[in-house]
């Protein structure tokens, strides 16, 4: 993509017959990340989202609330906007189909195609599906494609857009533009659909049956079909008007770079919308990207009507907007379906954010504060360990650019996490604590500078994905957002050419570790856990949104008693941790050397990596079981055990203020 090409991205506009759930948030987050990425790259961007406020479904919901349709949509739209604010969605316009300019564009477009003879009045007798607001053929009803209780037999006169006239032209467009519909499986689906006879599209509803819509300009007894009205939002939003004198600079943005949509609304976009554009003499969008669904863990699509929709609000309340933004884009491919579970969310939060990124930032910042006066150190001599990291950095930035620009968010983030993981491995390999102990300041400076550089480049790349956390990390590194944006632009260009030299920071800049970026969460946040009380683990379905209260804790079984003689067999001693490093083969284990007052220190392998970074442990005085028979833990000998509080998960270490080697009893 050229640097100066304006970028236009849209989400579907959402029905305001309920509150936003994770499915709606998903598309909106994706569009926001895409838009932010391009803005950071210095491109002109327009990002449009909004609400679909007309039609039978919205009217029915309004009636069930005892409100007029207008009062109902005015009331609900506030919640939608608020949710996008809480998720840091930076749209350029939030369009409502009840906006005056939109009503004007819909009526002018209807008039245009009516005057061009592209609309015909016809009598229709047949089936109507209330939920989907569509006319259904006898063939589809016989094939059992619809729930009979949702079908109405109707006889009425309506206006039909001559959509069938565009069948061949549309097929030719698909053949000539293989990237018009993505992923490719969806393109094939649409081609299959277009190989059958394409009918015309009924674009009116008699007011006598459903009056909540935009009136047809030539017949006041009818309103416009909700989809014909809604699809036009993509043009109203950028200032289009069929009458050139009334139009804004819409051609700066159109054709849209990407129109995002769920797979359930593929036909309405690829066929209805495209043929409407052909009739209007407007080019088709560059790409319709049809993403997959978030389902419940049993594969069922989430929806308001099924009552299995996950409230995005609770995730934002309990984890913050950034982890939610990260999770949905990282956890599955954009085109594919994926099952959502709160457990999966928590696991990814702890693994990717707390352990990988949070740990790297904490290690780099706290070691710099402790050993190098809290100042970004100088880079000394570069060794192959650093140049290997430059290579990973180049690949990570290239993966972010190509992944985000092609809507492949999970591969983008996987690529970036290769850098984060390589950063943690670099710390383990270079052992800055040993360099510090040995007084090798020059090498220590190069190592910690390189770690801070990895944190910095990662924060720059994460600006569009986790804008708050990326800023927080940049602040800890003493960097301004403006500098970071410039660095990102530079890095994206450099990554085109290969490795990126990690030398973007300034020596002598004060850093500040502050609070952990992503505190580890050993338990599900209470408000979420409370929704599952009394449910067995494998049939987890939220009961209702619950008030915040701590989950019921199981009392541990009283342990079997032992005789004093058994206890006396234990030789417990205080020990001071001298070195700590990650186990080469096991993520949960750390390999420590501990001075317990003997001639030489013990090597002890401990399952503490889920709770502590190695350098958190150095210098602590712990309690060691000194007479435990040595054991081989994943290839490393352990000569004792360290006492810690906690069962499956470590809560804290038992530490004492005493010299090494003192007996504990
Ligand atoms: N109003 C129409 C769109 C008109 S666009 C001119 C509509 N609204 S919707 O609120 O029902 O759905 C909007 C979008 O949310 C669709 O793209 C739909 O696929 C998406 N999602 C709804 N539930 C979803 C999931 N469970 N998972 C992912 N996306 C889902 O259709």
């Amino acid at each position: 993509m050229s640097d100066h090409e304006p970028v236009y991205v849209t989400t579907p506009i959402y029905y305001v017959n309920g509150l936003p759930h994770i499915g709606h948030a998903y598309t909106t987050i994706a569009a926001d990340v895409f838009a932010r990425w391009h803005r950071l790259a210095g491109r002109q961007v327009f990002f449009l989202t909004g609400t679909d406020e007309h039609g039978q479904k919205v009217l029915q919901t309004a009636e069930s609330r005892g409100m007029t349709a207008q009062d109902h949509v005015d009331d609900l739209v506030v919640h939608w906007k608020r949710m996008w604010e809480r998720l840091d969605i930076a749209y350029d316009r939030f369009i409502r189909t009840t906006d005056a300019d939109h009503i004007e564009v819909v009526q002018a477009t209807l008039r245009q195609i009516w005057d061009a003879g592209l609309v015909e009045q016809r009598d229709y007798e047949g089936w109507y599906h209330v939920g989907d607001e569509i006319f259904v053929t006898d063939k589809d009803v016989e094939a059992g494609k619809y729930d009979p209780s949702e079908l109405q037999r109707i006889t009425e006169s309506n206006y039909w857009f001559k959509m069938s006239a565009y069948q061949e032209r549309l097929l030719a467009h698909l053949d000539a533009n293989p990237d018009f519909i993505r992923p490719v499986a969806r393109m094939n689906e649409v081609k299959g659909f277009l190989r059958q006879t394409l009918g015309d599209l009924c674009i009116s509803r008699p007011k006598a049956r459903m009056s909540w819509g935009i009136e047809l300009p030539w017949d006041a007894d009818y309103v416009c079909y909700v989809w014909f009205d809604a699809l036009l939002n993509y043009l109203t939003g950028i200032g289009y008007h069929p009458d050139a004198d009334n139009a804004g600079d819409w051609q700066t943005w159109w054709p849209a770079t990407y129109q995002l949509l769920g797979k359930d609304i593929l036909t309405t976009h690829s066929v209805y919308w495209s043929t409407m554009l052909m009739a209007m003499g407007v080019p088709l969008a560059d790409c319709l990207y049809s993403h997959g669904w978030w389902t419940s863990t049993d594969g069922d699509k989430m929806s308001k009507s099924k009552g299995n929709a996950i409230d995005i609000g609770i995730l934002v309340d309990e984890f913050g907007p950034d982890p939610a933004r990260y999770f949905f884009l990282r956890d599955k491919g954009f085109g594919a379906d994926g099952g959502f579970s709160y457990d999966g969310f928590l696991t990814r939060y702890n693994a990717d954010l707390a352990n990988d990124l949070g740990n790297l930032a904490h290690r780099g910042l706290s070691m710099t504060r402790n050993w190098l006066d809290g100042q970004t150190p100088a880079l000394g001599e570069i060794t192959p360990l650093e140049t290997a990291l430059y290579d990973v950095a180049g690949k990570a930035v290239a993966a972010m650019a190509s992944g985000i620009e092609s809507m492949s968010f999970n591969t983008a983030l996987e690529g970036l996490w290769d850098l984060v993981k390589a950063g943690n491995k670099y710390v383990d390999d270079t052992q800055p604590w040993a360099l510090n102990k040995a007084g090798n300041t020059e090498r220590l400076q190069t190592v910690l500078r390189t770690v801070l550089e990895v944190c910095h480049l990662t924060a720059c790349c994460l600006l569009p994905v986790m804008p708050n956390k990326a800023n927080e990390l940049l602040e800890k590194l003493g960097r301004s957002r403006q500098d970071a944006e410039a660095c990102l632009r530079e890095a994206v260009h450099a990554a085109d050419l290969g490795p990126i030299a990690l030398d973007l920071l300034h020596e002598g800049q004060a850093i500040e570790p502050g609070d952990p970026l992503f505190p580890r969460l050993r338990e599900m946040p209470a408000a979420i856990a409370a929704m599952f009380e009394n449910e067995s683990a494998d049939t987890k379905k939220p009961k209702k949104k619950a008030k915040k209260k701590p989950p019921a804790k199981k009392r541990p079984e009283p342990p079997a008693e032992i005789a004093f003689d058994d206890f006396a067999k234990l030789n417990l001693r205080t020990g001071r941790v001298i070195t700590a490093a990650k186990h080469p083969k096991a993520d949960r284990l750390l390999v420590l050397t501990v001075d317990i007052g003997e001639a030489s220190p013990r090597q002890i392998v401990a399952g503490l990596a889920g709770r502590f970074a190695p350098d958190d442990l150095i210098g602590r005085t712990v309690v060691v079981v000194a007479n435990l028979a040595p054991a081989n833990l994943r290839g490393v000998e352990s000569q004792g055990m360290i006492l810690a509080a906690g069962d499956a998960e470590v809560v804290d270490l038992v530490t004492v203020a005493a010299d090494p080697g003192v007996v504990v009893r």
Side-chain angles (χ1 to χ4, degrees):
M1 175 171 291
S2 107
D3 280 358
H4 304 292
E5 206 172 313
V7 171
Y8 179 33
V9 60
T10 66
T11 73
I13 49 172
Y14 306 105
Y15 286 127
V16 276
N17 52 356
L19 296 173
H21 60 62
I22 62 168
H24 307 124
Y26 182 46
T27 330
T28 315
I29 292 169
D32 185 59
V33 170
F34 180 83
R36 282 175 185 264
W37 175 267
H38 285 290
R39 282 190 206 114
L40 285 165
R43 295 178 190 118
Q44 278 183 279
V45 174
F46 201 97
F47 164 23
L48 182 73
T49 189
T51 42
D52 191 352
E53 304 193 351
H54 290 127
Q56 190 150 331
K57 279 198 231 184
V58 174
L59 182 63
Q60 276 171 349
T61 316
E63 282 166 354
S64 70
R65 295 177 78 200
M67 296 170 95
T68 66
Q70 189 65 57
D71 285 349
H72 159 74
V73 293
D74 287 348
D75 177 53
L76 275 196
V77 78
V78 176
H79 297 275
W80 284 79
K81 285 186 171 171
R82 175 82 192 104
M83 182 52 72
W84 297 160
E85 212 177 287
R86 289 173 64 200
L87 274 167
D88 288 296
I89 304 297
Y91 50 74
D92 292 287
R93 176 168 174 186
F94 185 103
I95 190 167
R96 301 178 58 184
T97 51
T98 50
D99 286 343
D101 63 342
H102 180 68
I103 295 173
E104 158 76 24
V105 167
V106 172
Q107 289 190 320
T109 304
L110 286 165
R111 166 68 66 194
Q112 179 200 16
I113 61 169
W114 171 254
D115 289 348
L118 298 172
V119 176
E120 204 170 77
Q121 186 168 23
R122 278 183 221 154
D123 291 336
Y124 170 85
E125 203 224 311
W127 295 106
Y128 186 70
H129 188 274
V130 186
D132 290 352
E133 304 191 34
I134 49 168
F135 294 93
V136 177
T137 62
D138 286 338
K139 218 166 88 193
D140 283 346
V141 175
E142 279 157 24
K145 286 195 184 163
Y146 295 92
D147 175 353
S149 70
E150 291 202 24
L151 295 173
Q152 275 176 9
R153 191 81 191 163
I154 58 169
T155 309
E156 62 188 30
S157 179
N158 266 308
Y159 292 95
W160 296 75
F161 162 51
K162 295 179 189 168
M163 187 165 75
S164 55
Y166 299 94
Q167 179 164 9
E168 289 311 316
R169 212 174 124 189
L170 183 53
L171 261 173
H173 185 84
L174 302 191
D175 285 336
N177 297 278
D179 285 335
F180 174 53
I181 297 170
R182 289 185 46 215
V184 67
R186 301 278 172 238
M187 170 68 114
N188 295 337
E189 217 175 275
V190 176
K191 282 187 175 169
F193 178 83
L194 283 173
R195 281 193 197 105
Q196 300 157 29
T197 311
L198 181 65
D200 289 337
L201 179 65
C202 179
I203 57 165
S204 65
R205 297 293 182 265
K207 280 189 186 168
R209 182 156 65 80
M210 211 290 298
S211 62
W212 180 234
I214 299 174
E215 195 174 280
L216 296 191
W218 63 85
D219 190 338
D221 288 339
Y222 289 85
V223 292
C224 177
Y225 170 45
V226 65
W227 270 101
F228 193 93
D229 156 2
L231 288 161
L232 283 167
N233 91 87
Y234 299 132
L235 285 175
T236 312
I238 46 169
Y240 168 84
H241 196 289
D243 160 8
D245 290 342
N246 292 326
D249 66 347
W250 66 281
Q251 294 188 60
T252 306
W253 308 110
W254 194 262
T257 317
Y258 274 107
Q259 298 212 262
L260 306 186
L261 42 124
K263 59 183 186 176
D264 50 331
I265 55 174
L266 179 61
T267 309
T268 47
H269 282 77
S270 56
V271 181
Y272 298 4
W273 179 222
S274 301
T275 54
M276 281 167 67
L277 288 167
M278 286 175 174
M280 292 158 66
V282 173
L284 308 198
D286 284 352
C287 179
L288 305 177
Y289 196 107
S290 173
H291 64 73
W293 283 339
W294 282 98
T295 65
S296 52
T297 36
D298 50 15
D300 220 11
K301 186 193 170 205
M302 279 170 204
S303 73
K304 285 173 278 227
S305 49
K306 286 188 193 150
N308 63 353
I310 305 276
D311 172 16
I312 179 72
I314 199 161
L315 290 172
V316 177
D317 283 348
E318 300 306 315
F319 291 89
D322 290 46
R325 292 171 62 101
Y326 172 80
F327 174 85
F328 288 113
L329 297 187
R330 172 65 186 83
D331 209 56
K332 73 172 186 73
F334 198 46
D337 288 350
F340 176 86
S341 76
Y342 289 102
D343 287 338
F345 190 99
L346 181 68
T347 304
R348 191 170 281 288
Y349 170 88
N350 276 329
D352 295 11
L353 300 182
N355 287 355
D356 290 344
L357 179 56
N359 190 25
L360 179 70
H362 176 73
R363 297 168 101 186
L365 290 161
S366 58
M367 289 190 278
T368 306
R369 179 198 50 202
N370 295 346
W371 302 330
L372 298 175
D373 294 334
Q375 313 248 315
T376 305
L379 266 180
E381 196 187 325
I382 299 304
T383 74
L385 281 176
E386 284 79 44
T387 46
L389 215 45
Y390 295 1
D391 195 40
V392 184
K395 288 188 176 124
V397 175
M400 280 299 280
S402 68
I404 293 182
E405 289 171 18
S406 64
M407 298 283 162
S408 184
F409 301 100
N410 65 330
T411 52
L413 291 167
E414 259 167 43
L416 185 61
W417 250 249
D418 284 345
L419 176 62
V420 175
K421 288 185 175 144
N424 274 317
K425 182 165 184 305
Y426 173 81
V427 176
D428 299 339
D429 292 344
T430 51
Q431 305 212 345
W433 46 90
L435 296 171
N436 179 52
K437 198 157 185 245
N440 189 350
T441 311
E442 202 189 321
R443 181 68 187 144
L444 178 68
Q445 286 183 329
T446 301
V447 165
L448 290 186
R449 167 71 178 265
T450 304
V451 177
L452 296 181
E453 291 277 356
V454 172
C455 294
H456 171 248
L457 188 60
T458 306
C460 295
C461 286
L462 283 175
L463 278 168
V465 182
M466 295 196 277
N468 304 291
K469 289 292 174 183
N471 271 325
E472 205 177 310
L473 180 51
L474 289 168
E475 271 167 28
K476 288 174 189 289
L477 292 162
R479 299 289 286 173
S480 75
R481 167 145 187 153
Q482 225 176 4
D483 286 346
E485 290 179 7
C487 281
L488 178 60
R489 279 195 281 275
E490 239 174 73
V492 170
H493 285 298
D496 271 350
L497 307 172
I500 295 182
L502 291 167
D503 60 358
L504 302 170
L505 295 172
H506 300 305
E507 186 187 332
Q509 176 73 57
I511 59 96
E512 181 50 63
D515 293 334
L517 203 54
F518 298 101
R520 278 189 197 95
L521 295 175
R522 271 172 288 285
E523 285 179 357
M524 190 61 82
I528 296 176
M531 298 195 300
F532 298 107
E533 266 173 34
N534 307 324
E535 299 258 354
S536 78
D538 53 356
T539 56
K540 277 184 181 174
K541 283 211 174 110
K543 284 197 305 189
K544 59 180 173 0
K545 191 171 175 180
K547 293 248 174 333
K548 286 190 187 188
K549 62 176 177 178
K553 283 212 173 95
K554 269 212 279 171
R555 282 186 163 279
E557 289 289 313
E561 287 173 352
I562 58 164
F564 179 78
D565 285 352
D566 291 330
F567 169 71
K569 286 181 193 156
L570 283 178
N571 180 356
L572 302 177
R573 293 222 206 159
T574 57
R576 184 152 307 146
V577 180
I578 305 170
T579 66
K582 285 201 161 180
H583 188 292
K585 292 193 197 133
D587 288 348
R588 294 181 58 82
L589 299 180
L590 296 180
V591 182
L592 315 176
T593 47
V594 186
D595 173 7
I596 64 164
E598 296 172 333
S600 52
R602 299 272 188 113
Q603 173 169 283
I604 299 181
V605 179
L608 299 172
R611 172 71 180 83
F612 298 101
D615 55 292
D616 286 341
L617 299 174
I618 294 167
R620 292 209 195 190
T621 305
V622 295
V623 177
V624 175
V625 184
N627 60 338
L628 199 63
N632 188 299
L633 299 181
R634 306 283 307 272
V636 179
E637 190 185 60
S638 182
Q639 303 156 334
M641 196 179 120
I642 291 180
L643 294 191
D647 192 3
E649 294 283 344
V650 173
V651 177
D652 206 352
L653 286 175
V654 178
T655 52
V656 287
D659 286 335
V662 175
V663 170
V664 180
R665 33 185 327 179

